[in-house]
Short mmCIF file of all heavy atoms in Angstrom, two decimals:
data_model
loop_
_atom_site.label_atom_id
_atom_site.label_comp_id
_atom_site.label_asym_id
_atom_site.label_seq_id
_atom_site.Cartn_x
_atom_site.Cartn_y
_atom_site.Cartn_z
N SER R 14 -36.43 1.12 16.15
CA SER R 14 -35.98 2.35 15.50
C SER R 14 -34.52 2.20 15.07
O SER R 14 -33.81 1.32 15.54
CB SER R 14 -36.08 3.51 16.47
OG SER R 14 -35.06 3.42 17.43
N ALA R 16 -32.20 4.07 15.89
CA ALA R 16 -31.35 4.32 17.06
C ALA R 16 -31.03 3.01 17.77
O ALA R 16 -29.89 2.78 18.19
CB ALA R 16 -32.04 5.29 18.00
N THR R 17 -32.03 2.18 17.89
CA THR R 17 -31.80 0.90 18.57
C THR R 17 -30.81 0.04 17.80
O THR R 17 -29.91 -0.56 18.38
CB THR R 17 -33.14 0.17 18.74
OG1 THR R 17 -34.01 1.00 19.52
CG2 THR R 17 -32.94 -1.15 19.44
N ARG R 20 -27.46 1.27 18.41
CA ARG R 20 -26.99 0.91 19.76
C ARG R 20 -26.53 -0.55 19.81
O ARG R 20 -25.51 -0.87 20.41
CB ARG R 20 -28.10 1.14 20.77
CG ARG R 20 -28.37 2.61 21.01
CD ARG R 20 -29.30 2.83 22.20
NE ARG R 20 -29.69 4.24 22.28
CZ ARG R 20 -30.88 4.70 21.93
NH1 ARG R 20 -31.81 3.89 21.48
NH2 ARG R 20 -31.14 5.99 22.04
N SER R 27 -27.76 -1.47 28.16
CA SER R 27 -29.19 -1.20 28.19
C SER R 27 -29.90 -1.46 26.86
O SER R 27 -30.47 -0.55 26.26
CB SER R 27 -29.44 0.25 28.62
OG SER R 27 -29.06 1.15 27.62
N LYS R 29 -32.52 -4.57 25.68
CA LYS R 29 -33.14 -5.80 26.15
C LYS R 29 -32.63 -6.95 25.29
O LYS R 29 -32.64 -6.85 24.06
CB LYS R 29 -34.67 -5.68 26.03
CG LYS R 29 -35.42 -6.57 27.03
CD LYS R 29 -36.86 -6.78 26.63
CE LYS R 29 -37.66 -5.48 26.69
NZ LYS R 29 -39.08 -5.69 26.33
N THR R 32 -34.58 -7.81 22.31
CA THR R 32 -34.51 -6.83 21.22
C THR R 32 -33.22 -7.01 20.44
O THR R 32 -33.20 -7.04 19.21
CB THR R 32 -34.53 -5.40 21.79
OG1 THR R 32 -35.51 -5.33 22.81
CG2 THR R 32 -34.83 -4.41 20.71
N ARG R 55 -20.67 11.25 10.20
CA ARG R 55 -21.37 11.60 11.42
C ARG R 55 -20.40 11.69 12.61
O ARG R 55 -20.43 12.63 13.39
CB ARG R 55 -22.43 10.54 11.68
CG ARG R 55 -23.07 10.57 13.04
CD ARG R 55 -23.84 11.86 13.25
NE ARG R 55 -23.62 12.34 14.59
CZ ARG R 55 -24.55 12.85 15.37
NH1 ARG R 55 -25.77 13.03 14.92
NH2 ARG R 55 -24.26 13.23 16.56
N GLN R 57 -17.20 12.02 12.62
CA GLN R 57 -16.01 12.81 12.36
C GLN R 57 -14.73 12.07 12.67
O GLN R 57 -13.75 12.64 13.13
CB GLN R 57 -16.03 14.12 13.17
CG GLN R 57 -17.23 14.97 12.89
CD GLN R 57 -17.22 15.57 11.48
OE1 GLN R 57 -16.70 14.97 10.54
NE2 GLN R 57 -17.78 16.74 11.32
P DT G 1 -31.92 -1.70 30.41
OP1 DT G 1 -31.43 -2.97 30.66
OP2 DT G 1 -31.15 -0.49 30.32
"O5'" DT G 1 -32.92 -1.71 29.18
"C5'" DT G 1 -34.04 -2.52 29.10
"C4'" DT G 1 -34.97 -1.81 28.18
"O4'" DT G 1 -35.10 -0.43 28.62
"C3'" DT G 1 -34.44 -1.73 26.74
"O3'" DT G 1 -35.41 -2.35 25.91
"C2'" DT G 1 -34.31 -0.24 26.42
"C1'" DT G 1 -35.20 0.41 27.49
N1 DT G 1 -34.76 1.79 27.92
C2 DT G 1 -35.56 2.87 27.60
O2 DT G 1 -36.61 2.77 26.99
N3 DT G 1 -35.08 4.09 28.03
C4 DT G 1 -33.92 4.31 28.74
O4 DT G 1 -33.60 5.45 29.08
C5 DT G 1 -33.15 3.15 29.04
C7 DT G 1 -31.87 3.28 29.80
C6 DT G 1 -33.58 1.94 28.62
P DT G 2 -35.22 -2.51 24.39
OP1 DT G 2 -36.18 -3.52 23.93
OP2 DT G 2 -33.78 -2.67 24.14
"O5'" DT G 2 -35.68 -1.12 23.82
"C5'" DT G 2 -37.07 -0.90 23.64
"C4'" DT G 2 -37.28 0.54 23.23
"O4'" DT G 2 -36.54 1.43 24.07
"C3'" DT G 2 -36.83 0.88 21.81
"O3'" DT G 2 -38.00 0.90 21.02
"C2'" DT G 2 -36.17 2.24 21.93
"C1'" DT G 2 -36.44 2.65 23.37
N1 DT G 2 -35.41 3.48 24.03
C2 DT G 2 -35.68 4.81 24.21
O2 DT G 2 -36.70 5.35 23.85
N3 DT G 2 -34.67 5.51 24.84
C4 DT G 2 -33.47 4.99 25.30
O4 DT G 2 -32.65 5.71 25.86
C5 DT G 2 -33.26 3.59 25.08
C7 DT G 2 -32.00 2.93 25.53
C6 DT G 2 -34.24 2.89 24.45
P DG G 3 -37.89 1.27 19.47
OP1 DG G 3 -38.97 0.54 18.77
OP2 DG G 3 -36.50 1.12 19.02
"O5'" DG G 3 -38.28 2.82 19.46
"C5'" DG G 3 -39.47 3.21 20.11
"C4'" DG G 3 -39.64 4.71 19.99
"O4'" DG G 3 -38.65 5.36 20.82
"C3'" DG G 3 -39.45 5.25 18.58
"O3'" DG G 3 -40.42 6.27 18.36
"C2'" DG G 3 -38.04 5.84 18.61
"C1'" DG G 3 -37.93 6.32 20.06
N9 DG G 3 -36.57 6.35 20.58
C8 DG G 3 -35.70 5.30 20.66
N7 DG G 3 -34.55 5.62 21.20
C5 DG G 3 -34.68 6.97 21.51
C6 DG G 3 -33.76 7.86 22.11
O6 DG G 3 -32.62 7.63 22.51
N1 DG G 3 -34.30 9.15 22.24
C2 DG G 3 -35.56 9.50 21.84
N2 DG G 3 -35.89 10.78 22.03
N3 DG G 3 -36.43 8.68 21.27
C4 DG G 3 -35.93 7.43 21.14
P DT G 4 -40.60 6.90 16.91
OP1 DT G 4 -42.03 6.81 16.58
OP2 DT G 4 -39.58 6.31 16.01
"O5'" DT G 4 -40.21 8.43 17.13
"C5'" DT G 4 -40.36 9.02 18.40
"C4'" DT G 4 -39.87 10.46 18.32
"O4'" DT G 4 -38.51 10.55 18.85
"C3'" DT G 4 -39.78 11.04 16.91
"O3'" DT G 4 -40.07 12.42 17.00
"C2'" DT G 4 -38.34 10.77 16.50
"C1'" DT G 4 -37.62 11.01 17.84
N1 DT G 4 -36.35 10.28 18.03
C2 DT G 4 -35.32 10.92 18.66
O2 DT G 4 -35.38 12.06 19.06
N3 DT G 4 -34.18 10.15 18.82
C4 DT G 4 -34.01 8.83 18.41
O4 DT G 4 -32.95 8.24 18.60
C5 DT G 4 -35.13 8.22 17.75
C7 DT G 4 -35.04 6.81 17.26
C6 DT G 4 -36.25 8.97 17.59
P DA G 5 -40.16 13.32 15.67
OP1 DA G 5 -41.09 14.44 15.98
OP2 DA G 5 -40.38 12.48 14.48
"O5'" DA G 5 -38.68 13.91 15.63
"C5'" DA G 5 -38.19 14.57 16.79
"C4'" DA G 5 -36.83 15.16 16.50
"O4'" DA G 5 -35.83 14.11 16.62
"C3'" DA G 5 -36.68 15.68 15.07
"O3'" DA G 5 -35.71 16.71 15.13
"C2'" DA G 5 -36.10 14.50 14.32
"C1'" DA G 5 -35.11 14.03 15.39
N9 DA G 5 -34.66 12.66 15.22
C8 DA G 5 -35.21 11.64 14.50
N7 DA G 5 -34.54 10.52 14.56
C5 DA G 5 -33.46 10.83 15.37
C6 DA G 5 -32.37 10.07 15.82
N6 DA G 5 -32.19 8.80 15.50
N1 DA G 5 -31.47 10.70 16.62
C2 DA G 5 -31.66 11.99 16.94
N3 DA G 5 -32.65 12.80 16.58
C4 DA G 5 -33.52 12.15 15.79
P DA G 6 -35.75 17.92 14.13
OP1 DA G 6 -36.87 18.77 14.53
OP2 DA G 6 -35.66 17.38 12.76
"O5'" DA G 6 -34.38 18.64 14.51
"C5'" DA G 6 -33.90 18.54 15.84
"C4'" DA G 6 -32.39 18.43 15.81
"O4'" DA G 6 -32.00 17.05 15.64
"C3'" DA G 6 -31.75 19.20 14.65
"O3'" DA G 6 -30.56 19.77 15.13
"C2'" DA G 6 -31.48 18.12 13.60
"C1'" DA G 6 -31.14 16.93 14.50
N9 DA G 6 -31.38 15.61 13.93
C8 DA G 6 -32.40 15.21 13.09
N7 DA G 6 -32.35 13.95 12.76
C5 DA G 6 -31.22 13.48 13.42
C6 DA G 6 -30.62 12.21 13.47
N6 DA G 6 -31.09 11.14 12.83
N1 DA G 6 -29.50 12.08 14.22
C2 DA G 6 -29.03 13.14 14.87
N3 DA G 6 -29.51 14.40 14.90
C4 DA G 6 -30.61 14.49 14.14
P DG G 7 -29.84 20.92 14.34
OP1 DG G 7 -29.40 21.93 15.31
OP2 DG G 7 -30.70 21.27 13.19
"O5'" DG G 7 -28.56 20.16 13.79
"C5'" DG G 7 -27.73 19.46 14.69
"C4'" DG G 7 -26.80 18.59 13.89
"O4'" DG G 7 -27.51 17.40 13.45
"C3'" DG G 7 -26.29 19.26 12.60
"O3'" DG G 7 -24.90 19.09 12.55
"C2'" DG G 7 -26.96 18.49 11.48
"C1'" DG G 7 -27.11 17.13 12.13
N9 DG G 7 -28.09 16.25 11.52
C8 DG G 7 -29.27 16.58 10.91
N7 DG G 7 -29.92 15.54 10.45
C5 DG G 7 -29.11 14.45 10.79
C6 DG G 7 -29.28 13.07 10.55
O6 DG G 7 -30.21 12.49 9.99
N1 DG G 7 -28.20 12.32 11.06
C2 DG G 7 -27.13 12.86 11.70
N2 DG G 7 -26.19 12.00 12.12
N3 DG G 7 -26.95 14.15 11.93
C4 DG G 7 -27.98 14.88 11.45
P DC G 8 -23.99 20.14 11.77
OP1 DC G 8 -23.44 21.09 12.77
OP2 DC G 8 -24.71 20.61 10.58
"O5'" DC G 8 -22.79 19.23 11.26
"C5'" DC G 8 -22.06 18.36 12.13
"C4'" DC G 8 -21.54 17.23 11.29
"O4'" DC G 8 -22.59 16.27 11.11
"C3'" DC G 8 -21.17 17.66 9.87
"O3'" DC G 8 -19.80 18.03 9.84
"C2'" DC G 8 -21.43 16.42 9.03
"C1'" DC G 8 -22.40 15.56 9.91
N1 DC G 8 -23.75 15.30 9.34
C2 DC G 8 -24.21 13.99 9.24
O2 DC G 8 -23.48 13.07 9.60
N3 DC G 8 -25.45 13.77 8.73
C4 DC G 8 -26.21 14.81 8.35
N4 DC G 8 -27.42 14.54 7.87
C5 DC G 8 -25.76 16.15 8.46
C6 DC G 8 -24.53 16.34 8.95
P DG G 9 -19.38 19.49 9.32
OP1 DG G 9 -17.98 19.70 9.72
OP2 DG G 9 -20.41 20.48 9.69
"O5'" DG G 9 -19.44 19.32 7.74
"C5'" DG G 9 -18.50 18.44 7.14
"C4'" DG G 9 -18.88 18.28 5.70
"O4'" DG G 9 -20.19 17.70 5.61
"C3'" DG G 9 -18.95 19.60 4.91
"O3'" DG G 9 -18.17 19.42 3.75
"C2'" DG G 9 -20.43 19.79 4.63
"C1'" DG G 9 -20.93 18.36 4.62
N9 DG G 9 -22.32 18.18 4.99
C8 DG G 9 -23.05 18.93 5.89
N7 DG G 9 -24.29 18.51 6.02
C5 DG G 9 -24.38 17.42 5.16
C6 DG G 9 -25.49 16.57 4.87
O6 DG G 9 -26.63 16.61 5.34
N1 DG G 9 -25.15 15.59 3.94
C2 DG G 9 -23.92 15.46 3.36
N2 DG G 9 -23.78 14.46 2.50
N3 DG G 9 -22.88 16.25 3.62
C4 DG G 9 -23.18 17.21 4.52
#
Side-chain angles (χ1 to χ4, degrees):
Chain R
S14 74
T17 300
R20 289 190 188 105
S27 71
K29 206 198 294 181
T32 317
R55 168 64 221 221
Q57 302 291 31

